[in-house]
């Protein structure tokens, strides 16, 4: 007999249903950090795998050699092998793992085993678009490392080869971490890698934001251009379930990373997530290039359309972006329209249009819905009418959004 549901359970069910309807059917999501997960991957997230363990590990226990701590794992282990092989193919790497639970954990998975104690680490500071997790006081500091700034002072927080190389030569770090939360343009990676390797530093490429574009061959190919380890989140421009991934061509590094994951950075790797990530990797093998190309075309078209309508963006003279992101010119926005990005985002949210409160606009999810560059002027009109003119466009947004019932590239 089913237990009657408590009031709290009924409230929970109502909240989840309301969230799914609001975010899944009633808004256009332009958050650069998010994406829509494909239906098959969502099914796998809800599979029996969600509650299981496996730990394939040849180890001695009480005088016996065992090959897994757990029984019942014959399918789980094959799913993991399939996922890792797909990741290696897609990121053109010799070795890959889908075990890290998130982008942040993927970074730890590389930094914990590969850096000596008290290492000197170069990373882009948050005030120049870098990830807060690499700022002083966060991940490298937790591991006892000192963090020094790698400048990203070019247009749109881009990195200039000459100043990056000069900084690497002057600082002689043990590691350079590339990757940004505000990420518009590829790096001069060959020059940076060459300079880093000349002083004995490893190059880590945090591709969290651009992973889907790297997968589709539309950004840069970090491992081919000299990065030692690629890692990142699987849920920003890459449209997988939330999680992390890591890939490298270097056997010597992977031999240190792989055994260090379990019991140092995490234990259970969440196998339902890995099945969902595997599905997304396989989908990207089929449609990644067209998906990634359309995201970037949409971003550039939306940047142009918004800019033409008076909303200022950085890097206009460089075509706005080569990624899925656009960056509002925050000072220009205040000066010209007397509004801060946070207030603009709240105005847009009331009209069913989501951007973040720090000035980023992203096109990954609307591309998944099926929007194309020729539709960006219509989207820009709605954004400008809602955000700058204070018009009530929510009914129009809803009517348009309701026309997109399934995901493309899935
Ligand atoms: C560059 C970068 N790295 C890592 C992360 C953290 O990823 P996750 O949320 O998957 O841990 C983020 C999150 O926004 C990020 O922007």
């Amino acid at each position: 007999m089913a237990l009657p549901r408590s009031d709290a359970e009924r409230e929970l069910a109502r909240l989840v249903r309301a969230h799914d309807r609001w975010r899944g059917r009633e808004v256009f999501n332009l958050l650069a950090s998010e994406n829509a997960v494909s239906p098959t991957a969502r099914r796998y997230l809800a599979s029996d795998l969600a509650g299981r363990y496996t730990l394939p590990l040849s180890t001695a226990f009480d005088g016996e050699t065992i090959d897994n701590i757990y029984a019942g794992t014959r399918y789980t282990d094959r799913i993991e092998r399939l996922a890792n092989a797909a990741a290696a193919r897609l990121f053109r790497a010799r070795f890959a793992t889908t075990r890290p639970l998130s982008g942040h954990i993927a970074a730890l998975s590389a930094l914990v085993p590969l850096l000596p104690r008290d290492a000197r680490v170069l990373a882009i500071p948050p005030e120049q678009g870098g990830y807060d997790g690499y700022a002083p006081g966060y991940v490298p500091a937790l591991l006892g490392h000192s963090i020094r700034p790698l400048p990203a002072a070019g247009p749109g927080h881009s990195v200039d080869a000459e100043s990056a190389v000069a900084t690497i030569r002057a600082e002689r770090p043990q590691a350079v971490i590339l990757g940004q939360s505000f990420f518009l343009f590829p790096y001069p990676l060959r020059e940076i890698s060459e300079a880093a390797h000349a002083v004995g530093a490893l190059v880590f490429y945090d591709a969290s934001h651009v992973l889907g574009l790297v997968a589709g061959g539309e950004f840069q190919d970090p491992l081919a251009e000299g990065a030692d380890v690629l890692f990142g989140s699987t849920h920003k421009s890459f449209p997988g379930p939330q999680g992390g991934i890591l890939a490298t061509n270097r056997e010597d590094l992977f031999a240190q990373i792989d055994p260090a994951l379990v019991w140092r950075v995490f234990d259970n790797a969440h196998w339902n997530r890995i099945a969902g990530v595997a599905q997304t990797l396989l989908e990207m093998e089929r449609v990644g290039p067209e998906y990634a190309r359309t995201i970037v075309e949409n971003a550039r078209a939306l940047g142009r359309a918004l800019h033409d309508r008076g909303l200022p963006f950085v890097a206009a003279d460089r075509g706005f972006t080569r990624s899925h992101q656009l960056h509002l010119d925050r000072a220009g926005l205040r000066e010209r329209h007397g509004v801060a990005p946070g207030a603009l985002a709240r105005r847009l949210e009331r009209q069913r249009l989501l951007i973040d409160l720090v000035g980023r606009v992203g096109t990954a999810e609307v591309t998944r819905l099926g929007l194309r560059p020729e539709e960006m002027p219509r989207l820009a009109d709605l954004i400008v009418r809602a955000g700058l003119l204070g018009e009530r466009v929510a009914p129009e947004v809803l009517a348009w959004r309701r026309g997109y019932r399934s995901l493309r590239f899935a």
Side-chain angles (χ1 to χ4, degrees):
M1 192 178 75
L3 276 179
R5 292 199 303 173
S6 68
D7 288 350
E9 285 170 288
R10 273 196 293 276
E11 171 67 354
L12 176 62
R14 193 189 67 72
L15 291 173
V16 173
R17 255 197 325 271
H19 171 91
D20 278 2
R21 195 174 54 240
W22 158 241
R23 297 299 301 276
R25 301 208 296 268
E26 298 181 345
V27 294
F28 279 115
N29 182 16
L30 295 152
L31 292 168
S33 305
E34 290 188 355
N35 215 321
V37 178
S38 73
T40 311
R42 282 171 66 144
R43 245 192 352 265
Y44 295 162
L45 287 177
S47 74
D48 179 83
L49 289 158
R52 301 301 165 199
Y53 266 96
T54 175
L55 201 42
L57 187 73
S58 175
T59 187
F61 186 80
D62 265 357
E64 183 190 18
T65 301
I66 56 176
D67 60 3
N68 199 316
I69 307 269
Y70 302 97
T73 67
R74 66 180 70 163
Y75 302 114
T76 329
D77 295 337
R78 283 166 61 185
I79 289 167
E80 184 191 12
R81 284 199 293 277
L82 189 154
N84 293 347
R89 287 195 305 275
L90 197 60
F91 296 105
R92 304 164 285 278
R94 289 179 63 211
F95 311 96
T97 175
T98 49
R99 282 193 185 187
L101 306 180
S102 73
H104 196 97
I105 300 285
L108 275 171
S109 305
L111 301 182
V112 166
L114 295 184
L115 292 189
R117 285 194 184 284
D118 305 324
R120 204 164 36 259
V121 176
L122 288 185
I124 296 161
E127 57 277 16
Q128 292 182 348
Y131 174 49
D132 291 273
Y134 306 133
Y138 292 91
V139 173
L142 282 180
L143 302 176
H145 308 316
S146 62
I147 192 87
R148 307 280 304 148
L150 181 75
H157 301 312
S158 58
V159 172
D160 153 72
E162 212 174 298
S163 48
V165 167
T167 307
I168 292 166
R169 287 188 182 145
E171 296 281 355
R172 302 187 67 79
Q174 276 80 42
V176 177
I177 308 179
L178 295 167
Q180 285 162 271
S181 296
F182 286 72
F183 204 171
L184 296 180
F185 298 107
Y187 298 120
L189 190 49
R190 288 184 198 282
E191 291 91 327
I192 291 173
S193 301
E194 206 174 291
H197 293 152
V199 300
L202 289 171
V203 177
F204 298 108
Y205 192 108
D206 179 340
S208 292
H209 263 282
V210 295
L211 196 75
L213 310 178
V214 172
E218 190 61 30
F219 204 62
Q220 61 190 157
D221 189 345
L223 297 178
E225 292 175 33
D228 297 293
V229 183
L230 163 76
F231 53 70
S233 311
T234 52
H235 49 264
K236 298 177 193 284
S237 63
F238 189 83
Q242 291 180 333
I245 203 163
L246 180 152
T248 180
N249 281 327
R250 286 192 47 183
E251 191 167 9
D252 57 330
L253 301 185
F254 199 66
Q256 296 173 70
I257 294 168
D258 201 34
L261 297 177
V262 170
W263 297 328
R264 289 194 177 83
V265 189
F266 50 79
D267 186 337
N268 190 349
H270 303 179
W271 307 98
N272 58 328
R273 173 188 66 78
I274 287 180
V277 168
Q279 172 65 23
T280 316
L281 290 162
L282 297 173
E283 289 174 5
M284 286 297 112
E285 273 195 300
R286 286 191 279 133
V287 298
E290 194 196 340
Y291 164 69
R293 191 175 345 106
T294 312
I295 288 177
V296 179
E297 285 172 2
N298 277 342
R300 290 164 74 93
L302 183 61
R304 167 61 50 211
L306 287 168
H307 209 259
D308 287 350
R309 287 161 178 74
L311 206 54
F313 281 84
V314 307
D317 58 342
R318 294 183 69 186
F320 300 96
T321 186
R322 294 281 305 282
S323 78
H324 62 305
Q325 296 187 359
L326 296 163
H327 298 170
L328 277 166
D329 170 357
R330 301 196 292 268
L333 182 66
R334 280 198 177 85
E335 236 166 68
R336 245 198 263 173
H337 301 289
V339 63
L344 177 76
R346 288 296 182 212
R347 266 187 214 168
L348 292 175
E349 182 177 359
R350 286 194 287 277
Q351 304 306 323
R352 303 182 182 277
L353 297 163
L354 305 183
I355 65 169
D356 67 35
L357 277 72
V358 292
R360 290 175 303 186
V361 177
T363 54
E365 186 159 329
V366 293
T367 304
R368 292 276 279 169
L369 288 181
L371 266 63
R372 304 208 33 93
E374 48 281 17
E375 277 138 340
M376 292 302 113
R378 181 176 177 191
L379 187 57
D381 276 336
L382 289 167
I383 291 171
V384 166
R385 285 170 56 207
L388 298 185
L389 307 178
E391 288 183 24
R392 194 170 162 270
V393 300
E396 267 176 74
V397 173
L398 185 61
W400 189 19
R401 176 66 180 83
R402 289 238 159 108
Y404 296 98
R405 295 184 160 271
S406 57
L407 292 180
R408 283 210 61 212
F409 308 109

